Amino acid sequence: MLLSDIAIINEDLAFEEHLWVGVAGDRIAYLSPEEPSPEEAARFGEAYDGTGKLLVPGFYNAHSHAPMTLLRGWAESLSLQSWLNDRVFPFEAHIKPEETYWAMQLACAEMARYGVVSMSDMYNHSHERIRAVAENGMKINCCEGLIAFEEKPYSDYPAAGLNRELAAEFHGAENGRIRIDFNIHAEYTSNALVVEGLARAAQEAGLRIHLHASETRLEHEQCKERHGGLTPVRYFDSLGVFDSPTVAAHCVWVEPADIEILAEKGVFVACNPASNMKLGSGFAPVPAMLERGVCVALGTDGMASNNNHDMVQDLYLMCLVYKGAGLDPTLLTPEQGLFAATRAGALSQGREDCGYIGVGAKADLCVLDMAGPSWTPSTNPVYNLAFAGHGADVCLTMVDGTTVYRDGTWPTIDIERAKAQTQAATQRIISCLKG
């Protein structure tokens, strides 16, 4: 595709107009204010009229539980512990593998609709999640959720063998679209013996780790009570977890000493503003993290605690809430928020050649229509995107040069079947629970 006469948010997160962007294979091969010659343009195939459109890097969802589309609206107005133990865990116990596959397809369709190209996804039934993504053309860092209450070595858990199998079969599959991470659900759903063993296995395998940390005040303080004053961050660090590249989701209640560890160890923090507000968890100290040099990415979390995969909405919240929470309107600029939603998310997934618009970068792209009233006037389109834009403005999403969403259609997903199958599965499970 040749995107013609289009505006872009460039690698420096600045706005540029009247550019030609050529995609060849899975990469950006041409970027210039000069229109290519007819001979050169021909190698890109379709000419896409970019008039009135804005091209941005695709969004990287740094923390999701994608098949939780099944639970949308099921667990509402509850504290996190009640939300998990009374509604989520009982529901998830009834989910069948094939239902996970269809819920994954529906989640991918929703993400693609809103410009998301890749996700770091923590859930179960990994084979089905990977099959869905392999078919629909999106990207995933997939980890099998590990909840380990029994005091036994990591190697004795089925997850150890499954992680080895997943890594051997799928890490780097589909031309790198699929990557495998290891998972520790959280400090309060595991034990030190398991955590230490998994940390060692991840380091030996050269794989990344994805976990929850300090999501609520209760979790944070109870961890300190259980472990001689160690916070979740210090606890995980003491067991060698951060010796591997790690994404720590939430980090709402981290302390100054925790932020120092996150910075020193290069831990990526996945901020989830919608989920954290909806569950009443609080606000992660993102400005303090950024000031210390922590790489903060952006995530939606699951659909039982956010209810939609609209990353533009999460971008808006991220850029807004810290101004109010910190009583400082200068905190967290739209450029910082956009970096979190794009380049930082790609880096958190180990995707070095993704998350920016430049020659040689992977063609993970999102086109937004600037014709809507919220885009006029556009004195600074970066600010329009963060504070006035909507996920519904997305009109095209491309992953590795393949179109996965365009003008209300999903070329790689049977959207009606995904909706019907997911609706039926949710109704079946609720019937089981009401018994």
Side-chain angles (χ1 to χ4, degrees):
M1 182 178 289
L2 177 66
L3 299 116
S4 305
D5 194 18
I6 196 165
I8 74 167
I9 303 296
N10 66 23
E11 193 171 350
D12 297 321
L13 301 177
F15 177 73
E16 288 188 68
E17 293 184 273
H18 306 301
L19 292 171
W20 276 257
V21 181
V23 174
D26 62 354
R27 296 189 182 269
I28 298 171
Y30 186 88
L31 176 60
S32 174
E34 301 294 330
E35 183 176 0
S37 67
E39 294 77 19
E40 190 171 15
R43 75 185 178 103
F44 299 119
E46 178 190 356
Y48 181 91
D49 184 4
T51 306
K53 304 289 200 311
L54 177 65
L55 181 68
V56 303
F59 301 124
Y60 290 77
N61 191 342
H63 180 63
S64 67
H65 309 282
M68 288 184 81
T69 47
L70 288 160
L71 288 88
R72 201 188 322 253
W74 171 245
E76 299 294 329
S77 302
L78 298 168
S79 67
L80 177 65
Q81 297 306 317
S82 179
W83 178 86
L84 276 173
N85 296 317
D86 300 336
R87 301 291 276 185
V88 172
F89 287 161
F91 187 107
E92 290 177 331
H94 290 273
I95 299 174
K96 298 177 180 178
E98 190 66 10
E99 292 169 335
T100 299
Y101 167 83
W102 285 111
M104 191 73 186
Q105 291 284 28
L106 183 61
C108 287
E110 186 180 6
M111 289 194 209
R113 171 67 185 89
Y114 295 131
V116 176
V117 296
S118 185
M119 73 206 79
S120 291
D121 198 59
M122 179 194 299
Y123 215 61
N124 300 315
H125 301 146
S126 289
H127 284 87
E128 286 70 26
R129 289 185 290 144
I130 290 169
R131 175 163 63 98
V133 171
E135 292 172 1
N136 64 43
M138 294 185 69
K139 294 182 177 180
I140 187 172
N141 278 46
C142 180
C143 62
E144 180 77 14
L146 175 62
I147 294 176
F149 291 113
E150 294 182 66
E151 192 76 23
K152 62 182 183 181
Y154 165 71
S155 57
D156 289 353
Y157 276 88
L162 178 57
N163 279 338
R164 287 194 300 271
E165 175 191 333
L166 292 171
E169 188 172 355
F170 297 112
H171 189 63
E174 300 294 328
N175 195 32
R177 287 194 294 112
I178 295 168
R179 298 175 63 92
I180 302 300
D181 295 346
F182 281 12
N183 172 249
I184 303 161
H185 177 267
E187 175 275 330
Y188 63 91
T189 51
S190 62
N191 60 75
L193 187 61
V194 171
V195 171
E196 191 170 31
L198 182 140
R200 188 165 50 250
Q203 190 172 23
E204 292 171 355
L207 296 179
R208 311 175 85 81
I209 295 174
H210 190 169
L211 53 83
H212 297 103
S214 296
E215 182 174 0
T216 67
R217 187 202 296 264
L218 180 66
E219 170 202 341
H220 187 82
E221 295 301 327
Q222 286 186 343
C223 177
K224 291 164 70 174
E225 292 173 9
R226 281 190 289 267
H227 302 293
L230 293 180
T231 65
V233 165
R234 281 177 276 182
Y235 168 78
F236 286 129
D237 186 43
S238 73
L239 296 171
V241 172
F242 299 151
D243 293 338
S244 295
T246 301
V247 172
H250 304 299
C251 295
V252 174
W253 291 94
V254 291
E255 301 173 12
D258 296 330
I259 296 175
E260 290 298 315
I261 292 171
L262 295 172
E264 291 168 8
K265 293 288 189 174
V267 176
F268 295 89
V269 170
C271 176
N272 303 269
S275 175
N276 292 156
M277 284 196 288
K278 189 167 186 285
L279 288 173
S281 300
F283 307 98
V286 170
M289 294 182 198
L290 292 174
E291 185 176 353
R292 182 57 185 84
V294 177
C295 191
V296 179
L298 183 63
T300 62
D301 208 357
M303 293 306 93
S305 63
N306 183 329
N307 294 48
N308 69 76
H309 283 118
D310 185 351
M311 283 277 286
V312 180
Q313 172 182 273
D314 284 275
L315 171 64
Y316 169 78
L317 292 173
M318 185 180 189
C319 292
L320 189 69
V321 297
Y322 293 103
K323 300 177 187 299
L327 304 179
D328 183 351
T330 69
L331 292 178
L332 221 146
T333 66
E335 289 85 358
Q336 288 175 309
L338 190 56
F339 184 83
T342 57
R343 182 64 172 156
L347 293 174
S348 78
Q349 297 178 354
R351 301 182 186 274
E352 299 285 340
D353 54 356
C354 299
Y356 65 97
I357 295 177
V359 172
K362 285 293 184 99
D364 295 344
L365 302 171
C366 167
V367 177
L368 297 102
D369 188 351
M370 296 192 293
S374 64
W375 288 87
T376 304
S378 284
T379 55
N380 185 336
V382 176
Y383 281 71
N384 284 72
L385 175 58
F387 291 125
H390 306 279
D393 297 327
V394 173
C395 49
L396 184 146
T397 303
M398 178 182 289
V399 181
D400 276 6
T402 296
T403 298
V404 294
Y405 171 79
R406 183 170 181 175
D407 297 328
T409 64
W410 289 263
T412 62
I413 298 173
D414 186 340
I415 185 65
E416 294 304 325
R417 189 174 181 193
K419 287 162 58 179
Q421 293 283 350
T422 303
Q423 180 68 34
T426 296
Q427 290 174 339
R428 181 192 70 78
I429 294 168
I430 291 174
S431 296
C432 290
L433 293 171
K434 291 183 175 179

